[in-house]
Amino acid sequence: MKKVSAEERYALVAKIDRHRRYFPTQKLDSICHDLNVPPSNYRRWKAILDAHPEYHALKMIPERSKRPHRLARQVSQTTQQQVIAEAHQPHHTSANSIKKQLNEDGVVIGTAKVIKILEEEGLYGTIYRQNAQGDYIKKRGLLRCCEKPLKGP
């Protein structure tokens, strides 16, 4: 079914309701099928209309977002503070070790989210490490507050 406007939704619900009044023995599924409207859409629109009688005066049923009110991927302020506090601990050398420590403490968080929080705080970024051969290797990692980042060649 194509996307319908708020006014079209109201008109379809009114048409189905009128049809059900005149033909009470006909099943809802067949009425909806004739009008090319999924019965689940009709039921959802009818529930919205019953919950908000003011929509009758407007002759429209506005589309409600199916997106959750609270985003599932948001992290609380306390969790962000815990991540930052763990990043300042000297025994952590990576975002993965911070994630493992927080998971052991009962905080459910992924490595990517830890990296995002640390990047926003300026504690994670590009660092240069010197390998055994003396070459500088550019990589992403945890920036130490006390350390000066090594400059590349």
Side-chain angles (χ1 to χ4, degrees):
M1 182 178 173
K2 68 178 180 81
K3 189 168 176 74
V4 293
S5 69
E7 293 81 14
E8 290 171 327
R9 279 190 287 277
Y10 183 84
L12 284 169
V13 169
K15 194 174 205 177
I16 292 170
D17 286 345
R18 201 170 31 254
H19 197 86
R20 291 181 79 188
R21 270 195 309 275
Y22 292 130
F23 304 102
T25 58
Q26 192 173 6
K27 294 190 179 218
L28 175 65
D29 289 350
S30 66
I31 297 170
C32 290
H33 180 73
D34 293 341
L35 294 173
N36 199 23
V37 176
S40 60
N41 283 3
Y42 166 75
R43 288 186 192 99
R44 182 167 35 93
W45 297 339
K46 181 73 171 159
I48 292 170
L49 198 55
D50 291 344
H52 301 280
E54 65 272 12
Y55 293 162
H56 284 290
L58 300 172
K59 294 192 183 238
M60 62 182 282
I61 303 172
E63 183 66 31
R64 291 184 14 201
S65 174
K66 294 179 180 96
R67 185 176 177 185
H69 294 293
R70 181 187 167 275
L71 295 175
R73 293 190 177 116
Q74 284 182 336
V75 177
S76 69
Q77 195 72 11
T78 57
T79 304
Q80 290 179 3
Q81 291 170 352
Q82 287 176 317
V83 169
I84 294 165
E86 285 294 328
H88 289 296
Q89 300 297 322
H91 60 276
H92 290 297
T93 57
S94 68
N96 196 34
S97 69
I98 294 171
K99 182 219 41 147
K100 286 180 182 177
Q101 180 64 48
L102 290 172
N103 286 347
E104 287 174 8
D105 295 344
V107 178
V108 180
I109 192 166
T111 306
K113 187 54 81 172
V114 169
I115 290 172
K116 186 174 181 182
I117 292 168
L118 293 175
E119 282 177 339
E120 289 171 358
E121 289 295 317
L123 298 173
Y124 195 89
T126 304
I127 56 176
Y128 293 92
R129 295 283 179 197
Q130 201 169 12
N131 65 8
Q133 291 80 25
D135 299 329
Y136 285 101
I137 299 172
K138 181 178 169 181
K139 64 181 239 177
R140 301 201 21 91
L142 195 60
L143 302 173
R144 292 283 160 208
C145 299
C146 312
E147 292 178 4
K148 289 184 180 177
L150 293 173
K151 298 292 182 202

